[in-house]
Amino acid sequence: MKKRNQKIILGLSLLFLTIVSFTTAILSENDIIQTAESLELPIHNSVLLVSNKSINPCIPSDTGDSCVLTEEGVVIQESSASGMAIASEGGKTYILTANHFCQDSQVFEIQGLGINLDASMWAVDIEGNMWETRIVFQEIETDLCLISSNMGTVDTISLSESDPAVGEKVYAIASPRGIGGKNISLHFEGKFSGCDITGNCFFTIPSTFGSSGGIILNAYNEIVGMIQMKPANFDSVSIGTRRESIVKFLESFNQETGINLLYY
C-alpha cells in the first residue's frame, strides 16, 4: 500500500511539474511577443542628413584674404546619410553619425582662382523641419562624428552597457538613398552576428548608400552599434564599429568639452 501511495504521489508531482513548465514556457513566449509588438523606435530622434557642395563664383577682396561672391553658387554635389539625435545639452541637440559623411561635407575655400567651394549640411526630422548643423567632434579611426544642431529638444538615447548576444535581434532607422524626412521613417531589423578582430561588427540589417550613420538599437532602444559600410555587392549585411568604440568616442568628447552625452 505504501509503495502504491508513493507511486501516486510521484505521478502527481511529475504532472504538476509538467503543467508548471508548460505554463511558464507559454508565458515567456507571450512576453517575448509582447515586447516585439510594443517596441517603438525613436523616430523623433532619427534624422536624414543632407549635404550640398557648391561652387560660388567670386573675385578677390581688397585685402586679398578672401573672395567676394559675385553671384549665386551652383550645386555640384549632393549627398545624404543617416543619423540620430542622442541628447540635448546647453541649448544644442547633438547628432551621432558616420565620420566619412562629415569629411565629405567639410567646407573648402580656393582663393585666388575665382571660385569658392562651399558646403552646407542640414538635418531633416520626421516633421520635415530642416535644421542647420555644425561638426563638433570627429574620429577617423572609428569613423564616428558628432554634429550639433539647433534642432528642438529630444529624448536622450542611452548606450547599452553590453554588446548584444550573437543572434540577438537588433533594430535601426536609416535613410538609404536619401529616403527619409517628412512622414518617412524606414525601420529595419536583423540580428547581431558578432565582431571580428579588427573591431568591425556585423548585423544582418539591409543597407546601401545613405544608410551610413544609422544607429543600431537593442530591444530597449539602447545604442549597440552604427551602420557605417556594407560588403561589396551584398546589401543584406551592415558593418559598423563596436559599441565600446562609441562609448570611448563620447567619453573623449566629454573630456575635451565638458559636455556629457553618455547615458546608460
Side-chain angles (χ1 to χ4, degrees):
M1 181 66 69
K2 289 183 178 180
K3 289 185 177 180
R4 185 180 176 185
N5 291 338
Q6 288 176 347
K7 288 182 179 180
I8 293 174
I9 294 172
L10 179 61
L12 290 174
S13 298
L14 291 173
L15 178 62
F16 175 75
L17 290 174
T18 301
I19 293 173
V20 170
S21 298
F22 183 70
T23 304
T24 301
I26 292 176
L27 291 175
S28 297
E29 183 178 356
N30 287 339
D31 287 344
I32 294 172
I33 293 173
Q34 180 62 33
T35 299
E37 289 179 347
S38 61
L39 178 67
E40 294 184 6
L41 297 182
I43 61 174
H44 292 283
N45 292 68
S46 186
V47 296
L48 164 66
L49 294 170
V50 180
S51 173
N52 291 326
K53 281 187 177 180
S54 60
I55 293 179
N56 302 317
C58 60
I59 57 175
S61 66
D62 294 336
T63 61
D65 294 331
S66 61
C67 288
V68 178
L69 300 184
T70 58
E71 56 185 271
E72 186 176 350
V74 177
V75 175
I76 60 171
Q77 179 184 341
E78 293 182 335
S79 57
S80 66
S82 307
M84 181 169 287
I86 60 172
S88 297
E89 292 288 343
K92 294 290 184 181
T93 293
Y94 293 88
I95 300 168
L96 188 62
T97 188
N99 187 52
H100 63 264
F101 174 74
C102 290
Q103 287 183 304
D104 192 48
S105 304
Q106 300 280 16
V107 176
F108 299 94
E109 293 183 359
I110 305 177
Q111 299 177 2
L113 298 180
I115 61 173
N116 178 37
L117 183 59
D118 202 356
S120 60
M121 183 164 57
W122 301 81
V124 187
D125 64 22
I126 189 68
E127 306 295 336
N129 301 311
M130 297 184 66
W131 307 96
E132 293 184 83
T133 65
R134 183 173 68 89
I135 299 169
V136 294
F137 201 62
Q138 298 172 268
E139 192 172 81
I140 296 175
E141 296 79 7
T142 55
D143 195 23
L144 294 170
C145 178
L146 197 60
I147 302 168
S148 69
S149 72
N150 55 354
M151 184 177 174
T153 302
V154 298
D155 292 334
T156 298
I157 304 296
S158 300
L159 270 290
S160 174
E161 294 185 340
S162 60
D163 292 332
V166 173
E168 182 178 334
K169 185 171 283 189
V170 290
Y171 309 85
I173 304 175
S175 304
R177 300 290 183 180
I179 302 173
K182 187 174 183 179
N183 299 327
I184 299 175
S185 178
L186 297 187
H187 288 41
F188 298 92
E189 63 179 49
K191 294 185 178 180
F192 175 66
S193 303
C195 304
D196 63 21
I197 58 175
T198 66
N200 288 324
C201 298
F202 298 81
F203 308 84
T204 55
I205 292 177
S207 63
T208 187
F209 299 102
S211 298
S212 294
I215 300 300
I216 300 174
L217 307 164
N218 61 18
Y220 303 99
N221 278 338
E222 297 170 332
I223 299 172
V224 295
M226 174 191 290
I227 300 173
Q228 294 172 317
M229 53 184 169
K230 69 177 187 67
N233 302 318
F234 190 64
D235 297 344
S236 298
V237 170
S238 296
I239 306 173
T241 189
R242 64 188 321 130
R243 177 199 59 87
E244 183 181 355
S245 296
I246 300 177
V247 171
K248 290 181 177 179
F249 174 77
L250 294 177
E251 286 177 344
S252 297
F253 176 71
N254 182 21
Q255 292 172 1
E256 184 169 308
T257 65
I259 301 173
N260 179 39
L261 304 178
L262 184 57
Y263 297 91
Y264 292 101

